[in-house]
């Protein structure tokens, strides 16, 4: 939904904030987890207008030179010019320290809290079988239980985090309202 605005750039999940460097991120997402690296590659392809091989070359060179994730965000934003980079990675909300990192690393960061009714989120989670890819840790929950836990924990973390962020830098949007407006 955000990608439709000409001033915004909302690539697939970037999975950057949990790491200090791009090399650290690459090592964490090796083997069967390597699909988590695709968000940045797709972002580079779209920004630079290049193919997958060129995007991989660009990313590999930045990983090899020890580029920090913060510097990579800066690089992407410079490539975008006046467009605004949005990182909409859902996993950040599972960890308070990752949310805090955004506040430490970026001066006057803006936050959009996309609220969604839990039933809709749980249904989408189940239908897409996101337990197979989204949650990377061992657990004993059913797919539905895991979706409920993720919804609850994510929203608790976001609400707690945003209590420490000035109101003028946050915006709440209800998912269901967006869907209703889009149909008009």
């Amino acid at each position: 939904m955000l990608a439709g605005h000409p001033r915004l750039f909302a690539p697939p999940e970037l999975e950057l904030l949990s790491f200090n460097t791009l090399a650290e991120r690459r090592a964490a997402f090796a083997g069967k987890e390597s699909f988590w690296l695709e968000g940045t590659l797709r972002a580079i392809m779209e920004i630079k207008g290049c193919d997958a091989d060129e995007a991989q070359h660009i990313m590999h060179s930045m990983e090899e030179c020890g580029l920090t994730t913060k510097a990579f965000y800066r690089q992407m934003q410079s490539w975008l010019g006046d467009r605004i980079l949005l990182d909409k990675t859902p996993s950040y909300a599972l960890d308070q320290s990752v949310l805090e990192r955004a506040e430490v690393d970026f001066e006057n960061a803006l936050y959009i809290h996309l609220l969604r009714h839990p039933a809709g989120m749980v249904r989408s989670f189940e239908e897409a079988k996101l337990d197979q890819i989204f949650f990377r840790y061992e657990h004993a929950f059913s797919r539905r239980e895991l979706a409920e836990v993720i919804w609850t924990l994510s929203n608790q973390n976001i609400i707690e985090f945003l209590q420490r962020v000035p109101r003028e830098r946050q915006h709440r949007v209800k998912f269901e309202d967006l869907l209703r407006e889009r149909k008009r």
Side-chain angles (χ1 to χ4, degrees):
M1 289 181 178
L2 295 171
H5 193 286
R7 290 243 352 193
L8 303 178
F9 179 68
E13 289 79 359
L14 295 173
E15 292 289 348
L16 289 165
L17 271 180
S18 303
F19 304 100
N20 293 315
T21 68
L22 295 179
E24 180 185 312
R25 176 179 172 269
R26 181 186 62 206
F29 293 141
K32 68 179 184 156
E33 303 287 329
S34 65
F35 67 91
W36 290 108
L37 299 172
E38 291 178 17
T40 52
L41 295 176
R42 290 183 179 276
I44 291 170
M45 289 168 60
E46 187 173 338
I47 295 170
K48 303 291 279 176
C50 65
D51 64 15
D53 289 338
E54 180 64 18
Q56 287 176 332
H57 174 73
I58 291 168
M59 193 67 185
H60 184 71
S61 66
M62 289 190 279
E63 291 166 345
E64 290 299 309
C65 76
L67 196 69
T68 65
T69 53
K70 183 178 177 180
F72 181 65
Y73 278 112
R74 191 178 313 114
Q75 180 63 65
M76 282 194 299
Q77 186 60 62
S78 73
W79 288 334
L80 288 167
D82 290 338
R83 292 177 71 194
I84 299 168
L85 173 64
L86 282 122
D87 186 347
K88 55 185 179 62
T89 305
S91 65
Y92 298 163
L94 293 172
D95 187 337
Q96 275 285 346
S97 65
V98 174
L99 294 173
E100 293 294 339
R101 184 178 187 147
E103 194 62 4
V104 169
D105 282 359
F106 306 105
E107 186 177 332
N108 295 319
L110 303 174
Y111 302 95
I112 300 171
H113 182 190
L114 180 62
L115 296 162
R116 185 168 186 196
H117 191 282
M121 178 276 188
V122 169
R123 189 171 37 261
S124 292
F125 190 95
E126 288 180 303
E127 288 172 3
K129 299 179 179 159
L130 290 178
D131 59 308
Q132 297 174 7
I133 58 167
F134 179 74
F135 198 73
R136 300 183 288 268
Y137 310 99
E138 288 293 319
H139 61 84
F141 298 111
S142 70
R143 183 174 292 146
R144 179 176 193 77
E145 290 169 334
L146 181 61
E148 292 170 355
V149 167
I150 288 172
W151 186 93
T152 302
L153 179 61
S154 295
N155 280 281
Q156 285 175 345
N157 284 344
I158 291 167
I159 290 166
E160 185 178 316
F161 168 71
L162 289 177
Q163 288 176 348
R164 297 184 297 278
V165 173
R167 288 227 184 273
E168 62 270 11
R169 292 197 290 119
Q170 53 182 289
H171 187 70
R172 285 185 176 79
V173 177
K174 291 183 180 176
F175 180 82
E176 291 78 12
D177 290 348
L178 290 175
L179 290 179
R180 268 192 297 279
E181 289 177 22
R182 196 171 183 188
K183 289 179 182 176
R184 291 182 200 173

